[in-house]
Amino acid sequence: MLPLELWMNICDIACDDGGHTGRSLSLVSRVLYKASKPYKLRTVAVRGELQIVNFARLLESLPFDSCDVQNIYIASWTPDSPDFENDSGYRSSPSFRAMVALYQPGICDRIPGPEPEEIVEDREELLAHAISRILTSISSTVRRVYIFFDSYRDFTFLPVKISRLEELTLQGPFECSFKGYIPHLPVIPTLRRLKMTHATLYDNGTLLDSIAVYAPSLTHLYLRVYNIHDARMVTHLEQVVNPPSSNPPNQFPSTIQRFFLHPGQREPLGPCGTGYGIVMSAKRRVYEYCNRQPKMVLLKEQQLLNHQETNRLTQDQQEGETEWLDRVNGGLGCWDDSNRMNSLI
């Protein structure tokens, strides 16, 4: 029989997937149970409402020094999830009841935020609460967090201070116009890489100001922007690439080294010649600006394989989990610039 120390080294190398290997090894024998224990939760994928609730409860039941999660992927939706918008029985489903039972007022509350009686009626708020409970339990150990929200969230960032966070990906549409959230955002100076999808940049938006407060030492930013054709897009990009030296409030971090800009899905231009000209003119301005800026990486538009909503969710969810696993195993993930746009054609 190999010595325990050698088995621990083997488990250290093997436990780099979504958590399946670590859990399986612990069932093989007493020796492997002991050898795999420090690594069983190091890398974990949590998929769907019930798993989110159960994992939150598990973490809160463990001793503090046993919650050594360093990489986590959380998806609020899976292809097997109930249709919460059209299913009249969703509120009586096991997953919704489990989220209501988990909810505790005064824990992980957003400021300003909804009242408790509103939260227990709102799937998105209950999900945010459950995910915040998970992040709170692992806030001193986790380094890489990927979260896939399948529906609109009424906030930009979750209200959890994560002391060692280095990389964060947030997928899904979100609120970015309410300035009241900004003074209450946690500050995470260790965060270096941030990816956000469904982003919009406009004059009265709060996204850039929120990032400036939340991640003051950010070096890599990836935004999938859905208003790439906005007439003032280049002005907004300039705020990130070349922030003013006057140091105004909520100035974007001057530490940015690389800004990946994804223009979202390729949309049909339609038959109108004027509309085509406006879109191409806006594309050209952004393309030429990005080519002049060494920090900018303008990526190619996303090819949506099927326009049905469930297929879009599946494609987005698989993209996030694939990128997360690639990063866990030392790959570039979304930070690979080989898909950059080299021409407008």
Side-chain angles (χ1 to χ4, degrees), residues 43-183:
T43 299
V44 179
V46 187
R47 308 174 188 91
E49 298 166 353
L50 274 177
Q51 282 196 14
I52 289 171
V53 170
N54 292 336
F55 193 60
R57 291 193 183 280
L58 171 66
L59 291 173
E60 293 176 350
S61 70
L62 294 174
F64 180 76
D65 57 0
S66 297
C67 299
D68 188 19
V69 178
Q70 297 184 23
N71 306 286
I72 190 166
Y73 172 80
I74 303 173
S76 65
W77 178 90
T78 69
D80 298 326
S81 293
D83 187 347
F84 64 91
E85 290 184 342
N86 299 318
D87 185 354
S88 59
Y90 171 73
R91 290 184 179 276
S92 61
S93 67
S95 58
F96 187 82
R97 293 202 308 269
M99 290 193 294
V100 172
L102 179 72
Y103 175 66
Q104 293 183 34
I107 299 179
C108 304
D109 288 348
R110 294 200 317 279
I111 302 174
E115 296 298 322
E117 57 269 22
E118 297 174 307
I119 293 176
V120 295
E121 296 292 329
D122 191 309
R123 172 184 181 265
E124 287 72 31
E125 292 294 342
L126 289 169
L127 270 170
H129 176 83
I131 293 171
S132 295
R133 295 269 289 272
I134 290 175
L135 296 180
T136 298
S137 295
I138 61 177
S139 61
S140 64
T141 62
V142 72
R143 297 175 180 271
R144 182 176 292 113
V145 174
Y146 278 51
I147 304 177
F148 170 75
F149 291 97
D150 62 292
S151 56
Y152 179 86
R153 63 185 190 273
D154 193 29
F155 54 89
T156 304
F157 298 110
L158 290 162
V160 181
K161 172 76 172 179
I162 308 175
S163 59
R164 302 175 69 183
L165 185 63
E166 298 172 1
E167 183 171 346
L168 173 65
T169 288
L170 296 172
Q171 293 179 276
F174 59 94
E175 200 284 334
C176 61
S177 61
F178 183 49
K179 297 183 183 296
Y181 288 137
I182 296 177

Side-chain angles (χ1 to χ4, degrees), residues 30 39 58 75 91 104 165 168 172 208 238 283 314 338:
R30 292 180 180 178
Y39 313 105
L58 171 66
R91 290 184 179 276
Q104 293 183 34
L165 185 63
L168 173 65
L208 297 183
E238 183 71 4
K283 276 187 175 182
T314 300
S338 61

